[in-house]
C-alpha cells in the first residue's frame, strides 16, 4: 500500500482549514510560550468560539477546532489582542520555529537568542515563498531533545560549539554565536529557495532537495551534533514539570488550571506542556503526569465526524483499547491512511476504511495490512488474541 496523497494545507490562523466540525485555526505561540494571561485568554476563546479544547500539535503549535466561519474574524481579533498572532498572514505562516522547551529560559540564553533572531528574519519578504511545512529547529543543548522532530534547517551544538545543519546532512558548519547561527540558517533557506527547492505545487523539503542538489561549501561543515536525549516522559524533571493530555486534547478548564499554577507555559512538540520551575504536580483532571499511564501508548486523530476523510470514530475506540497495549508498546488508531496523528510506524496500527478497520503490525497507516475489514466491535477481541 503506497502513502496517501497529501491534501489540504497547514491550517494557520489567518488561513484556517475547513473540517467536518468547522474551521481548524492554528496558533503559533511566539517562542513556543504562553504567559498565564495568554493561557487564560486562549482557554476562554476555545470555549467561546471552538469545541472547548485546545489541541497540541507535533510542531509545538496549538489548534482550535469547531470554529464557525462567521466567528473567524472576531477570533482573529481576539488572538491579536492576546499577542498570539502576527498581523501579516504570510509572516504568521512561515514563522515555523521549534525550540528546545527545556532550554532558552533566560533572555540571554543562546537558544532563546537564536529563536528570536530566526523569527525576526523570517518576517522579511525574502522568505515569502517558503513552503508552509518548511521548519527550523533550535536544539543546541548538551543533549538533543528534538532529534525526532521534523525540521529542514537545524541549529544544534557540537560539544559547546553552535552548528547549523541542513536536514539530510549528518554534519553541520560551526557558528561563532547565536546571531551568526541564525544568519547562517537564513542563508541556507535563501539557497533552498534560489536553487529550486520549491516545486510548482509550492511544496518542498530540504532533505528531498539535497538528494538532487549539493549544499554550497560555505553552508556545509563537518561537525556532528551532540547525541540525542531519550524520549521525554511526563512527570517531574529537574527543570520543572512535563504534563501530557490524551490525544493532545487539552480541555479549556485544564488550560486555565495550568495558567493559575505556573508562571510560564511552554508548548512542546510532544503534545505536552512544560511548566518550568514548577515543583508541585498540577491536579487538573485531564492531565497525564504518570509516565506509565496506558493512554500515553496510544495515538488517535480527530476521526469521524470531525474529519471528512475519516470513516470511523477514533478517540473513544483508542481510549477503550489503551489498557490492552503492553508497557513499551504503541497503538495508533487512524481514521484514514494519512496517519495525521502519528505519521510513522507503530507496533499496532488500526486504519479506518469504509466504516471498518484494517490492522497493520509494526508499520504505518499506509503499509500493507495484516488483516482487513475488522468491525469496530470486534477490534478488542482481535487485539487481545
Amino acid at each position: 500500500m503506497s502513502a496517501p496523497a497529501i491534501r489540504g494545507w497547514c491550517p494557520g490562523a489567518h488561513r484556517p482549514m475547513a473540517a467536518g466540525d468547522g474551521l481548524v485555526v492554528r496558533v503559533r505561540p511566539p517562542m513556543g510560550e504562553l504567559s498565564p494571561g495568554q493561557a487564560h485568554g486562549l482557554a476562554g476563546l476555545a470555549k467561546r468560539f471552538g469545541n472547548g479544547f485546545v489541541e497540541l500539535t507535533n510542531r509545538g503549535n496549538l489548534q482550535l477546532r469547531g470554529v464557525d466561519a462567521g466567528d473567524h474574524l472576531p477570533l482573529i481579533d481576539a488572538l491579536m489582542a492576546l499577542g498570539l498572532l502576527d498581523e501579516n498572514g504570510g509572516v504568521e505562516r512561515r514563522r515555523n520555529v521549534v525550540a528546545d522547551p527545556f532550554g532558552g529560559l533566560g533572555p540571554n540564553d543562546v537558544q532563546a537568542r537564536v529563536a528570536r533572531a530566526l523569527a525576526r528574519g523570517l518576517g522579511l519578504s525574502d522568505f515569502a515563498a517558503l513552503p508552509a511545512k518548511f521548519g527550523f529547529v533550535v536544539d543546541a543543548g548538551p543533549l538533543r531533545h528534538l532529534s525526532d522532530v521534523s525540521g529542514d534547517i537545524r541549529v544544534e551544538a557540537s560539544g559547546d560549539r553552535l552548528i547549523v545543519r541542513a536536514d539530510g546532512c549528518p554534519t553541520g558548519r560551526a557558528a561563532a554565536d547565536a546571531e551568526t547561527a541564525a544568519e547562517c540558517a537564513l542563508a541556507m533557506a535563501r539557497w533552498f529557495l534560489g536553487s529550486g527547492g520549491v516545486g510548482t505545487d509550492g511544496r518542498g523539503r530540504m532533505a528531498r532537495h539535497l538528494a538532487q542538489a549539493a549544499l554550497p561549501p560555505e553552508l556545509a561543515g563537518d561537525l556532528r551534533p551532540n547525541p540525542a536525549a531519550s524520549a521525554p516522559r511526563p512527570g517531574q524533571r529537574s527543570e520543572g514539570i512535563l504534563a501530557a493530555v490524551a490525544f493532545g486534547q487539552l480541555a479549556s478548564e485544564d488550560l486555565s488550571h495550568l495558567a493559575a499554577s505556573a508562571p510560564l507555559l511552554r508548548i512542546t512538540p510532544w503534545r505536552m506542556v512544560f511548566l518550568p520551575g514548577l515543583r508541585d504536580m498540577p491536579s487538573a483532571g485531564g492531565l497525564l503526569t504518570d509516565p506509565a499511564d496506558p493512554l500515553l501508548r496510544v495515538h488517535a486523530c480527530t476521526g469521524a465526524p470531525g474529519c471528512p476523510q475519516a470513516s470511523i470514530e477514533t478517540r473513544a475506540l483508542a481510549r477503550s483499547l489503551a489498557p490492552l497495549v503492553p508497557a513499551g508498546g504503541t497503538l495508533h488508531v487512524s481514521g484514514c491512511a494519512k496517519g495525521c496523528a502519528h505519521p510513522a510506524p507503530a507496533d499496532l496500527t488500526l486504519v479506518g476504511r469504509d466504516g471498518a478497520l484494517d490492522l497493520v503490525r509494526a508499520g504505518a497507516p499506509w503499509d500493507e495490512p495484516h488483516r482487513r475489514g475488522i468491525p469496530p466491535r470486534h477490534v478488542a477481541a482481535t487485539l487481545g488474541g
Side-chain angles (χ1 to χ4, degrees):
M1 185 182 296
S2 60
I6 299 172
R7 302 176 187 274
W9 59 87
C10 289
H14 291 282
R15 190 186 182 207
M17 186 171 71
D21 54 351
L23 298 180
V24 179
V25 178
R26 181 169 294 176
V27 180
R28 295 181 170 94
M31 299 294 290
E33 297 177 347
L34 293 176
S35 69
Q38 288 173 323
H40 273 303
L42 191 61
L45 296 181
K47 293 181 72 173
R48 178 183 172 191
F49 294 112
N51 63 2
F53 289 86
V54 176
E55 293 186 338
L56 312 179
T57 80
N58 59 10
R59 289 293 301 173
N61 297 318
L62 302 169
Q63 286 184 172
L64 274 62
R65 294 189 69 97
V67 178
D68 288 336
D71 288 333
H72 180 232
L73 289 181
L75 174 58
I76 291 295
D77 290 342
L79 290 170
M80 285 186 178
L82 288 173
L84 292 174
L85 188 62
D86 288 298
E87 290 188 22
N88 184 298
V91 173
E92 179 256 342
R93 176 188 60 81
R94 63 182 179 266
R95 183 170 49 79
N96 197 3
V97 180
V98 181
D100 175 11
F102 306 130
L105 289 171
N108 294 317
D109 181 276
V110 64
Q111 296 196 84
R113 286 161 52 201
V114 171
R116 285 197 300 268
L118 283 174
R120 287 194 301 270
L122 290 169
L124 299 175
S125 59
D126 306 30
F127 304 105
L130 277 180
K133 290 183 180 293
F134 193 94
F136 297 76
V137 173
V138 181
D139 192 16
L143 292 174
R144 290 182 296 139
H145 294 109
L146 305 179
S147 59
D148 290 334
V149 174
S150 172
D152 295 273
I153 298 175
R154 315 181 81 92
V155 179
E156 299 168 323
S158 180
D160 58 359
R161 303 175 68 185
L162 284 175
I163 65 170
V164 180
R165 183 170 66 91
D167 188 41
C169 292
T171 59
R173 60 152 286 185
D177 53 32
E179 289 68 32
T180 304
E183 289 170 6
C184 178
L186 293 170
M188 204 173 279
R190 287 190 180 94
W191 170 81
F192 173 84
L193 290 170
S195 59
V198 182
T200 55
D201 59 358
R203 296 188 173 99
R205 301 304 300 264
M206 179 66 81
R208 189 181 310 141
H209 186 48
L210 288 180
Q212 303 172 0
L215 199 65
E218 65 272 17
L219 296 177
D222 58 1
L223 294 176
R224 291 191 174 275
N226 286 339
S230 56
R233 305 293 290 169
Q236 184 74 57
R237 297 177 57 92
S238 60
E239 312 97 330
I241 287 175
L242 196 57
V245 286
F247 318 124
Q249 280 194 303
L250 181 60
S252 56
E253 295 82 5
D254 289 341
L255 180 56
S256 291
H257 181 83
L258 291 179
S261 304
L264 180 68
L265 289 74
R266 284 209 162 162
I267 310 304
T268 79
W270 312 300
R271 294 190 170 98
M272 295 188 248
V273 180
F274 177 53
L275 310 168
L278 204 64
R279 292 291 172 261
D280 296 325
M281 204 70 74
S283 58
L287 298 181
L288 308 177
T289 55
D290 179 359
D293 195 306
L295 284 171
L296 295 171
R297 306 168 199 163
V298 183
H299 305 275
C301 63
T302 299
C307 175
Q309 296 187 51
S311 66
I312 60 162
E313 189 284 329
T314 54
R315 286 175 173 160
L317 177 62
R319 190 178 289 272
S320 70
L321 296 175
L324 301 178
V325 183
T330 52
L331 168 66
H332 179 194
V333 181
S334 183
C336 72
K338 285 176 63 179
C340 296
H342 184 66
D347 295 322
L348 297 169
T349 300
L350 293 166
V351 185
R353 183 171 58 85
D354 299 328
L357 296 116
D358 295 344
L359 173 62
V360 178
R361 295 188 181 274
W366 47 86
D367 290 334
E368 188 66 26
H370 172 78
R371 184 172 170 182
R372 296 178 183 271
I374 306 169
R377 65 183 182 278
H378 293 162
V379 169
T382 301
L383 296 187

